[in-house]
Amino acid sequence: MLNLEKSAAAFAEAKTLMPGGVNSPVRSYASVGSTPPFIGRAEGSKIYDIDGNGYIDYVGSWGPMVVGHAHPRVVKALQEAAARGTSYGAPTLIESELAKLIMQVYPSMERIRMVNSGTEATMSALRLARGYTGREKIVKFIGCYHGHSDSLLVNAGSGMATFGTPSSPGVTRGTAADTIAVPYNDEAAIESVMERCGSEVAAVIVEPVAGNMGLVLPRQGYLRRLRELTEEHGALLIFDEVMCGFRASLGGAQAAYGITPDLTCLGKIIGGGLPVAAYGGRRDIMQRISPEGPVYQAGTLSGNPLAMTAGLETLRIITEEPEEGEADYSRQLTIRTKKLLLGWQEKAKKAGVVIQAHQAGSMFGIFFHEHEVWNYDDASASDQEAFKVWFHAMLEQGIYLAPSQFETLFLSGAHTDEDVERTIEAAEQGFKAVAEMGK
Ligand SMILES: *Cc1c(COP(=O)(O)O)cnc(C)c1O
């Protein structure tokens, strides 16, 4: 049995200080009915708790740690930057350097604005879309997560595609009424919404590869249809690539699927583990942002030199030209991720457990589900009890997975073939435990 004595004591104290003992809900392990390990340090592909347990980490701080933890180059760059002062609230060279590097990989982003979180990026992109189009409604997809700003914390109302209802107390009905929530991967649903009220829609915002209901891929032609419909009705198409940016492929989902959105939101990876996100896109739209235009958006710590440094060094590592005859960084991650997932599928089959395994570049995940998973309804019909058993069996064996079936797992450049082998071996026990449930 894993010894989590110190973590349990730390959690008990934390609960007297912070709601649920955490600063972001999913960390509490409420969904798997146990106590979270408290983390003391991390290095490469491994994360270590304060009880002295080490794990192979597939959470990667929920996505950002694409080069692994405490990468020597990132650490060195940060140390040097810290010695030059941690914040000035004034323009710096490094902001332009990071902007240029991002825009090289994401040519649809002709102008970019740095912010501090994915929430801020999507919220600002929507304000911009509204300011630019002079329209008020937005369309989002059920099961896509875009951070916790009010207009995005909205559920579908009754009926298949209706004006939203707040999904959290504190979100006003007025705000929710301007958000239309539609099922993901359902062309007929979005077509009917756009037919009915397309002329009022400022923007359609989508996770082009959805990672917040578990990993769900877009159906063939779906993103292209969104592009056509938004163009037809004069609405902007916003790709929220906060998670899938630099993951689904180096150039994100927009490169992988060959679709050019009007605006893009990035986050997670572009801060290399520090709080950075960004939104950007067509020049004529971005020119509406203050101080060039009238749409207001600002940030005391936006473009912070430490955060820019961690992001820039991380992106430099993953965009470097590969050695002669080697695959580039993101291709290598894709190949290793595929190997891991194939190994899991084989072990599941051997144990007689049916899973749906999904991959997009270095993002991956499984559903304990008999049938294909294409949207939120499918995902939520997965076997939650099986997931709990699997999760704990893996944790016991030193494999650190997200404590929910509705999250995505990530591979980093620090994960070795040996890590992958160990993780596949552990999966044999994990699936066996699932198969033995209730016996
Ligand atoms: C994580 C995430 C966000 C929110 O980012 P925060 O930095 O947590 O505010 C928004 N959109 C997507 C797709 C995400 O995965």
Side-chain angles (χ1 to χ4, degrees), residues 317-369:
I317 294 167
I318 67 174
T319 55
E320 258 165 17
E321 285 294 321
E323 305 266 322
E324 179 99 10
E326 278 198 11
D328 64 35
Y329 203 92
S330 75
R331 186 84 204 118
Q332 286 189 33
L333 294 193
T334 301
I335 292 166
R336 200 162 280 144
T337 303
K338 181 166 238 158
K339 189 173 152 194
L340 189 157
L341 209 47
L342 280 173
W344 278 10
Q345 283 171 293
E346 201 177 290
K347 299 296 185 192
K349 198 163 178 192
K350 193 169 153 193
V353 175
V354 181
I355 58 167
Q356 306 297 323
H358 293 179
Q359 179 187 359
S362 57
M363 304 163 71
F364 66 106
I366 58 171
F367 292 99
F368 290 94
H369 199 306

Side-chain angles (χ1 to χ4, degrees), residues 117-120 122 145-148 207 212 240 242-243 268:
S117 72
T119 296
E120 222 186 311
T122 56
Y145 177 70
H146 306 289
H148 62 86
E207 279 185 80
N212 286 288
D240 178 356
V242 168
M243 183 188 289
K268 300 197 164 103

